[in-house]
Amino acid sequence: MPSPDYDLDAWRKRIPLLASCIPMNNCSQAPQTDATRAAADRYLDSWNTKGMDWDAWMEEVQLAKRAFASLVNASSDEIAVFSSVSEATSAVASALDFSGPSRNVVVSEMEFPTVGHVWLAQRQRGARVAWVPVQDGGIEPEAYESLLNDRTAVVSACHGYYLNGFTQDLAQLAARAHAAGALLFADAYQTLGAVPVDVKALGVDFLAAGNLKYLMGVPGIAFLYVRRELVETLHPSVTGWFGRADPFAFDAKRLDWAPNASRFDTGTPPIVNAFIARAGMELIASVGAGEIRKWHEVLAKRLIDGGRARGLRSHGTDDVSRKTANTAFLVRDSHAVEAAMRARGVLPSARGPVIRLAPHFYSSLDDVDSALDLLAELTLDA
Ligand SMILES: Cc1ncc(COP(=O)(O)O)c(C=O)c1O
């Protein structure tokens, strides 16, 4: 039996939910660990015993930025913090000029809807949006080519497709966008924590992600990487006092810009979420993104082969080198199937026509087999 290069049983003991459930919904919300629980308690204790500990709380936000930076091989002055990827995308869009000749936005149809919505809203500011179609559950990099030209301002491409885990080749897309004189915005919400990401090697200009999926965190926090060379050229109109050079200057009449990616920060940061997010990101770093990816490939193969053997129909590519472990199966009423599986102790994630089974680093092959058995029992006619 294959096994990961780390101590699976030791990690499993740190996730209380595993005593009662099989979480296969990591593409949606990963379970609580002892580390994230302790981080939440640390904030609550600080608030309860000190009333407020502003400087330490601000330091905690910086440490969370640093943890995110280190996961993507950036430095913390290239990271801004938000409460959602929607907000991060809006801030990026607000810093781009769509009033001149370069006003085209090329958006993959794989974007999580919120990212598409932000780009569509830029039409009020002059943007023209063109969509790169999804075919057979994926997009080949060549599909971007006919839409790219010297009027393209930005290309928006998610790294991992929320529906079926298909991963786009960001390095290729960055090269193609740059050759057309455009920037590349990447949404890595479905890959960070599951796939090693190196923003420098990929050459992306912006990369956003939140924490509640493979980064083992909570809703209400997201981070944005902005390539250092770009930072000083950008002046987001989605802004606030934390985007200033000195937020504590308290000068309402002076709109100066922080010299680093903090100029993308907006209001009071999500402090409690930063405590928890850092714990989740440090936990992932201590398991190791490369080790996690290796195990995810084993789990993905087990899902695809096991699904086929049971007569389930998967959505998208079968090539595990081109997808995350998130594997989608076509079913008739996905929400009813999700409810029925939950009632039997397996937590899947329904999206439109599919049930997504998304294991993570702590998942065992038995977890995968049990989830597939139950899905087959509930959805296939006897
Ligand atoms: C790829 C991707 N992007 C964005 C989001 C959501 O972004 P937000 O933080 O704005 O809710 C999700 C999922 O919830 C997602 O899967």
Side-chain angles (χ1 to χ4, degrees):
M1 282 286 256
S3 58
D5 294 342
Y6 45 81
D7 188 343
L8 191 64
D9 289 336
W11 283 112
R12 287 177 73 86
K13 290 199 179 84
R14 301 182 56 182
I15 301 175
L17 188 64
L18 292 177
S20 56
C21 285
I22 300 178
M24 295 292 279
N25 58 337
N26 294 279
C27 55
S28 182
Q29 167 71 74
Q32 198 178 103
T33 62
D34 58 354
T36 40
R37 176 74 185 212
D41 286 344
R42 220 158 43 75
Y43 169 76
L44 291 174
D45 288 346
S46 159
W47 181 23
N48 205 23
T49 57
K50 299 198 169 124
M52 180 159 98
D53 195 358
W54 188 257
D55 291 343
W57 292 355
M58 290 301 110
E59 177 59 15
E60 194 65 42
V61 175
Q62 286 310 315
L63 292 173
K65 282 188 178 183
R66 193 181 301 164
F68 185 86
S70 116
L71 274 179
V72 300
N73 190 32
S75 63
S76 36
D77 64 353
E78 294 173 298
I79 308 298
V81 65
F82 296 91
S83 57
S84 67
V85 162
S86 310
E87 195 193 352
T89 313
S90 289
V92 169
S94 80
L96 303 179
D97 179 10
F98 300 113
S99 64
S102 183
R103 58 175 60 185
N104 294 357
V105 183
V106 172
V107 187
S108 92
E109 267 184 12
M110 274 187 188
E111 297 315 284
F112 192 80
T114 201
V115 173
H117 300 155
V118 169
W119 295 121
L120 288 174
Q122 305 314 309
R123 293 190 298 196
Q124 297 168 46
R125 301 177 51 235
R128 292 202 195 97
V129 176
W131 296 94
V132 189
V134 169
Q135 277 182 333
D136 300 326
I139 302 182
E140 296 303 326
E142 299 74 43
Y144 286 77
E145 212 51 53
S146 65
L147 296 170
L148 293 176
N149 53 46
D150 58 5
R151 294 182 302 285
T152 311
V154 62
V155 175
S156 176
C158 70
H159 192 197
Y161 189 13
Y162 70 93
L163 198 65
N164 64 20
F166 180 87
T167 48
Q168 302 207 75
D169 183 340
L170 291 182
Q172 269 226 42
L173 297 186
R176 283 170 195 266
H178 294 161
L183 300 170
L184 183 77
F185 172 86
D187 171 358
Y189 212 149
Q190 286 290 339
T191 48
L192 270 195
V195 178
V197 169
D198 179 333
V199 287
K200 304 295 171 187
L202 295 173
V204 298
D205 300 295
F206 306 100
L207 182 133
N211 288 71
L212 67 155
K213 306 178 196 298
Y214 302 98
L215 292 178
M216 308 299 290
V218 281
I221 189 162
F223 297 91
L224 171 71
Y225 157 78
V226 184
R227 185 160 60 81
R228 176 175 287 113
E229 295 75 20
L230 275 179
V231 165
E232 294 209 10
T233 67
L234 298 169
H235 304 95
S237 62
V238 169
T239 191
W241 61 308
F242 274 81
R244 306 286 68 80
D246 175 9
F248 298 95
F250 287 104
D251 184 351
K253 294 184 178 165
R254 189 169 147 74
L255 185 69
D256 60 1
W257 299 94
N260 53 34
S262 286
R263 67 176 54 198
F264 279 86
D265 291 345
T266 55
T268 305
I271 294 168
V272 58
N273 304 333
F275 274 75
I276 302 170
R278 173 159 79 96
M281 291 187 285
E282 288 179 350
L283 186 149
I284 286 300
S286 71
V287 186
E291 304 312 320
I292 292 176
R293 174 63 190 159
K294 275 197 255 165
W295 186 234
H296 275 207
E297 288 195 9
V298 174
L299 296 167
K301 190 160 165 32
R302 187 83 165 195
L303 279 164
I304 289 165
D305 293 347
R308 192 182 298 121
R310 288 168 178 80
L312 293 163
R313 277 198 307 139
S314 63
H315 182 283
T317 185
D318 281 357
D319 178 352
V320 296
S321 70
R322 301 197 68 192
K323 69 187 293 301
T324 65
N326 176 14
T327 300
F329 294 98
L330 290 155
V331 295
R332 262 203 293 278
D333 180 348
S334 62
H335 288 278
V337 175
E338 174 175 330
M341 289 182 80
R342 281 184 164 269
R344 303 265 300 267
V346 176
L347 312 183
S349 174
R351 269 288 174 275
V354 300
I355 277 287
R356 303 179 295 175
L357 297 182
H360 199 3
F361 73 94
Y362 58 81
S363 304
S364 66
L365 294 178
D366 284 346
D367 289 344
V368 167
D369 294 347
S370 302
L372 285 171
D373 283 343
L374 183 57
L375 182 61
E377 180 194 321
L378 292 171
T379 60
L380 299 178
D381 299 328

